[in-house]
Amino acid sequence: MAKTSIKEVAKQAGVSAATVSRALSSPELVSDKTLTRVLAAVSDTGYKPNRFGASLRTQKSGNVVVVMPDITNQVNAGIIRAIENEAMQAGYSVLLGDTQNIQARESHYGDMVSSGQADGILVFTPRIPFPTDEDQQPINDLPPLVNSCEEIPNDTIHKVMIDNRAGAIAAVEHLLSLGHTRIAAVKGPALTPSTESRLLGYKEALTQAGIKVDEKYIITGDYGTDSGVIAMEKLLRLRDRPTAVFCFSDDMAIGAMNTLREYDFRIPEDISVMGFDDIRYAKLMSPTLTTIKQPLTEIGKESMKMLLAQMKGESVANKRITLPFELVVRQSTGPVPS
Amino acid sequence: MAKTSIKEVAKQAGVSAATVSRALSSPELVSDKTLTRVLAAVSDTGYKPNRFGASLRTQKSGNVVVVMPDITNQVNAGIIRAIENEAMQAGYSVLLGDTQNIQARESHYGDMVSSGQADGILVFTPRIPFPTDEDQQPINDLPPLVNSCEEIPNDTIHKVMIDNRAGAIAAVEHLLSLGHTRIAAVKGPALTPSTESRLLGYKEALTQAGIKVDEKYIITGDYGTDSGVIAMEKLLRLRDRPTAVFCFSDDMAIGAMNTLREYDFRIPEDISVMGFDDIRYAKLMSPTLTTIKQPLTEIGKESMKMLLAQMKGESVANKRITLPFELVVRQSTGPVPS
DNA sequence: CTGAAAGCGCTTACAG
DNA sequence: CTGAAAGCGCTTACAG
């Protein structure tokens, strides 16, 4: 690489380094004549200001970190895209951390903020990626930080969430309205607040309808397709099989449908299946998948906006944004078999 | 944030800044007693070395940039995960650029290397993200760079590819072996070398089998699901419908199958469908999707390894790695209807 | 409008 | 084994 420094450009233009700097960042402070000469020299040399020099001086990196548990997940990928679009418009670059729920990795990305490499952080895991005490409270002041999707148990943190409990209630009520009473749940991994909330909603909706919650009908998966396959296999072995299965992710629902097909069950005539997320493939399944749609683009956009506001030092009036979900009814759910 | 500088740590430990720096990066140069005191001070203050200070001095950023055309694509997401794993092991962080085939964005990420923010770049688009002349040749020396998947027309660049032409031949030969002769192709967007190569293979395999290539059977998509839907609609309108459709991506194949279902075609009894990639959902479709598997993890891993070698200044013997693909036969392809 | 100077935080060759 | 000093490349308050 041609690593041209500001000095060389200054020499070539016959001005001082200070003037080159001004010409590039505040051209209105420089005379037209000088500006022209400087820009010519910049273009001649292919000069790009060294970010480290600038950042060291200004104490701003122009970067934000995004901590995601699983980037291969369609849901997260959609969110990241929205984040990056928003960040780019604001002149920020995105450092992506695919942390796979490994705490050491989360801390690594947290350190990037602590070490000045990034000015703020978006956290999609339910843990603060900074040193905490035994009560999970941060030891030091936190940098600009927004927490989305998987809620960190700390009220001082800014958040962008959907109402997972209400989403699950909507899902179960949809199944109830079709006459189902033996409704199973395939939940996500333990320790994910999203799953805890959805489980609450699931139980609440059943109880509300006068149906006793049966733990046999609650299977734990990991939000991934394979775990949906396994969960459905378990459910099929039950003496009183469920007539409907509410999976807490579309991926698990897709896995579950695969198992049903393998054992020649008809969907939804024999067993109804629904998911959560509305990933791109939900409407392309056979049968198409009934699900709760998450507003991915909005989640990414609002999260980034909130972070930008914090980084600018604006006081954010609303510490918590709750975005709407939507019940999307397709072919995979139908009336309870008589 | 507690922005502790090395000076404060030095003061607290009663040593010089130089000694703190040594204690952290080369502890063997420091006496045990001093080391203990320094580490205590570091831990007390929560000190994280400012990366910009260090990078400015060492002229190394510890970052690599990845330029991807579409991060929401399952294929790319799998590759990124492998890249990040490999980078992290080597002590590098990944700056992800989701450029959506917008050249200005690609340049933006290229600039991050030019400005010293990253030490190398992985390019998954068919363009050099640096200034080029009218022949697409780089004007300046290139930094450490590896090009993968979508080939840049430049022989001096290091590359990790699969043999797209051979992959397409394998796909078509599979369909030929089932007796199909009216075999359609749904290709990716123009200007993607992967599509050009696969198209070559498609034509070659047909010609080899004595079948005339019919342009009516070649539809252009964009590798996405929606374009598969549309492409299949076009094919169904043809007077002599194809009996098999080779889609250049699984996403397009999934879209195509959706269209076939909508119009009550049976797969594969009426029309066979095959894809390319073997994304996670391919084996979960109904019917399961026959496809050409790309070694995603390997692509990511080898690309990163090659880049690491370049950044270390090692001379890389093999400028080009070609990774193996694999024909995965599932249910979506079957004998030609009689 | 422009330049000289200081300083951001770090590392490392040099001296002791 | 340790410290003082220089310098990486930039920006900006200060002076003119």
Side-chain angles (χ1 to χ4, degrees):
Chain A
M1 289 304 296
K3 287 282 181 195
T4 326
S5 84
I6 198 170
K7 278 190 202 162
E8 293 164 59
V9 179
K11 196 197 281 179
Q12 183 156 337
V15 297
S16 71
T19 298
V20 175
S21 176
R22 284 191 201 101
L24 257 24
S25 52
S26 319
E28 71 279 7
L29 296 180
V30 172
S31 76
D32 280 358
K33 208 177 109 200
T34 311
L35 186 57
T36 319
R37 259 191 306 154
V38 171
L39 294 184
V42 166
S43 142
D44 272 12
T45 53
Y47 169 67
K48 297 280 170 204
N50 178 306
R51 189 62 165 275
F52 295 135
S55 291
L56 190 54
R57 171 68 216 231
T58 60
Q59 304 287 10
K60 290 277 156 224
S61 70
N63 296 328
V64 296
V65 171
V66 178
V67 172
M68 283 268 176
D70 178 4
I71 193 202
T72 66
N73 182 314
Q74 281 285 308
V75 174
N76 292 335
I79 293 174
I80 292 171
R81 161 156 290 184
I83 289 172
E84 186 158 10
N85 278 333
E86 201 69 24
M88 200 129 187
Q89 274 180 37
Y92 281 86
S93 297
V94 172
L95 312 185
L96 178 67
D98 180 19
T99 57
Q100 295 165 50
N101 279 315
I102 301 168
Q103 282 214 37
R105 289 216 176 176
E106 294 167 9
S107 299
H108 171 87
Y109 284 97
D111 287 351
M112 295 180 86
V113 186
S114 307
S115 69
Q117 265 205 95
D119 304 329
I121 187 165
L122 253 30
V123 181
F124 288 79
T125 59
R127 286 166 296 275
I128 296 176
F130 297 102
T132 52
D133 60 22
E134 51 280 5
D135 297 328
Q136 309 302 319
Q137 297 311 302
I139 292 172
N140 306 306
D141 287 349
L142 291 177
L145 183 157
V146 174
N147 169 223
S148 311
C149 295
E150 292 294 352
E151 187 163 359
I152 296 171
N154 181 317
D155 284 344
T156 66
I157 290 176
H158 290 233
K159 292 172 183 172
V160 175
M161 298 287 158
I162 64 159
D163 189 339
N164 284 296
R165 190 177 130 276
I169 291 176
V172 174
E173 285 183 344
H174 166 64
L175 296 170
L176 289 166
S177 77
L178 292 165
H180 295 277
T181 54
R182 294 206 303 278
I183 299 173
V186 180
K187 65 190 194 73
L191 300 178
T192 52
S194 61
T195 269
E196 295 310 316
S197 299
R198 290 174 200 173
L199 194 61
L200 270 180
Y202 163 80
K203 290 180 176 176
E204 205 172 313
L206 287 184
T207 308
Q208 187 79 25
I211 297 171
K212 210 171 141 240
V213 172
D214 185 341
E215 293 291 334
K216 282 200 306 294
Y217 287 155
I218 302 176
I219 311 282
T220 300
D222 65 5
Y223 281 149
T225 48
D226 291 350
S227 76
V229 169
I230 295 167
M232 196 70 231
E233 286 170 350
K234 285 186 190 158
L235 288 170
L236 289 182
R237 286 184 220 126
L238 293 179
R239 184 166 180 277
D240 289 318
R241 285 178 183 138
T243 60
V245 181
F246 169 34
C247 299
F248 288 11
S249 76
D250 283 354
D251 272 2
M252 294 196 296
I254 288 169
M257 289 207 292
N258 199 60
T259 299
L260 286 173
R261 261 183 244 114
E262 191 174 330
Y263 293 103
D264 296 324
F265 286 87
R266 293 165 303 161
I267 311 168
E269 291 80 359
D270 298 322
I271 297 187
S272 286
V273 176
M274 73 178 290
F276 202 110
D277 291 338
D278 198 26
I279 62 172
R280 187 193 321 186
Y281 300 98
K283 67 168 188 290
L284 296 165
M285 288 293 129
S286 168
T288 57
L289 182 65
T290 296
T291 191
I292 303 290
K293 182 188 180 80
Q294 294 210 56
L296 304 187
T297 303
E298 286 294 297
I299 291 173
K301 201 168 163 181
E302 293 300 326
S303 300
M304 190 64 216
K305 274 188 175 171
M306 221 180 208
L307 187 65
L308 287 168
Q310 275 188 52
M311 292 190 302
K312 271 192 237 156
E314 292 172 10
S315 69
V316 181
N318 201 347
K319 277 205 156 189
R320 183 189 185 96
I321 295 179
T322 304
L323 294 170
F325 59 84
E326 189 188 335
L327 170 67
V328 182
V329 179
R330 298 203 181 94
Q331 302 163 346
S332 67
T333 49
V336 63
S338 45
Chain B
M1 290 303 295
K3 287 282 181 199
T4 325
S5 84
I6 198 169
K7 278 190 203 164
E8 292 163 59
V9 179
K11 196 197 282 180
Q12 183 156 338
V15 297
S16 72
T19 300
V20 174
S21 176
R22 284 190 201 103
L24 258 24
S25 53
S26 318
E28 70 279 6
L29 296 180
V30 173
S31 76
D32 280 357
K33 208 177 107 197
T34 310
L35 185 58
T36 319
R37 258 191 308 155
V38 171
L39 294 184
V42 165
S43 140
D44 272 11
T45 52
Y47 169 67
K48 298 280 170 205
N50 179 306
R51 189 62 164 276
F52 295 135
S55 293
L56 190 54
R57 172 65 217 236
T58 60
Q59 305 287 9
K60 290 279 158 223
S61 69
N63 296 328
V64 297
V65 171
V66 179
V67 172
M68 283 270 174
D70 179 5
I71 192 203
T72 66
N73 182 313
Q74 281 285 308
V75 175
N76 292 336
I79 293 174
I80 292 172
R81 160 156 292 184
I83 289 173
E84 185 158 9
N85 278 333
E86 200 69 24
M88 199 129 188
Q89 273 180 37
Y92 280 87
S93 298
V94 172
L95 312 184
L96 177 67
D98 179 19
T99 57
Q100 297 166 48
N101 280 315
I102 301 167
Q103 282 215 36
R105 290 214 175 179
E106 295 168 8
S107 299
H108 171 87
Y109 285 97
D111 286 351
M112 294 180 85
V113 186
S114 306
S115 71
Q117 264 204 97
D119 304 328
I121 186 165
L122 254 31
V123 181
F124 288 80
T125 58
R127 289 167 293 276
I128 296 175
F130 297 102
T132 51
D133 61 23
E134 51 278 3
D135 296 328
Q136 308 304 320
Q137 296 311 302
I139 293 170
N140 306 307
D141 286 349
L142 290 178
L145 183 157
V146 175
N147 169 223
S148 311
C149 296
E150 291 295 351
E151 187 162 1
I152 296 171
N154 180 317
D155 284 343
T156 67
I157 290 178
H158 290 235
K159 292 173 185 173
V160 175
M161 298 286 159
I162 64 159
D163 189 338
N164 284 297
R165 188 176 131 276
I169 290 175
V172 174
E173 284 182 344
H174 165 65
L175 296 170
L176 289 166
S177 76
L178 291 165
H180 294 277
T181 53
R182 295 206 302 277
I183 300 173
V186 180
K187 66 190 193 74
L191 300 179
T192 51
S194 60
T195 269
E196 295 310 316
S197 299
R198 291 173 201 174
L199 194 61
L200 271 179
Y202 162 82
K203 291 181 174 173
E204 203 171 314
L206 288 183
T207 308
Q208 186 78 23
I211 297 171
K212 208 169 143 242
V213 172
D214 186 340
E215 293 290 335
K216 280 200 308 297
Y217 287 154
I218 301 175
I219 311 283
T220 299
D222 65 5
Y223 281 149
T225 49
D226 291 351
S227 76
V229 169
I230 296 167
M232 196 70 230
E233 286 170 352
K234 285 188 191 157
L235 288 170
L236 289 182
R237 286 185 220 124
L238 293 180
R239 186 166 179 279
D240 289 317
R241 287 182 183 135
T243 60
V245 180
F246 169 34
C247 298
F248 288 10
S249 75
D250 283 355
D251 271 1
M252 293 196 296
I254 289 169
M257 289 207 291
N258 199 61
T259 299
L260 287 174
R261 261 183 245 116
E262 190 174 331
Y263 292 104
D264 297 323
F265 286 86
R266 293 166 303 162
I267 311 167
E269 291 80 0
D270 297 321
I271 297 187
S272 286
V273 176
M274 73 178 290
F276 202 110
D277 291 339
D278 198 26
I279 63 172
R280 186 192 323 186
Y281 300 97
K283 67 168 188 291
L284 296 164
M285 289 291 130
S286 168
T288 58
L289 183 65
T290 296
T291 190
I292 302 289
K293 182 189 182 80
Q294 295 210 54
L296 304 187
T297 303
E298 286 295 297
I299 291 172
K301 201 169 163 180
E302 292 301 326
S303 299
M304 190 66 217
K305 273 187 176 171
M306 220 180 208
L307 187 64
L308 286 168
Q310 275 188 52
M311 292 190 301
K312 270 192 239 157
E314 292 171 11
S315 70
V316 182
N318 200 347
K319 277 203 159 194
R320 184 189 184 97
I321 295 180
T322 304
L323 294 169
F325 58 85
E326 190 189 333
L327 171 66
V328 181
V329 178
R330 297 204 182 94
Q331 302 163 347
S332 67
T333 49
V336 64
S338 46

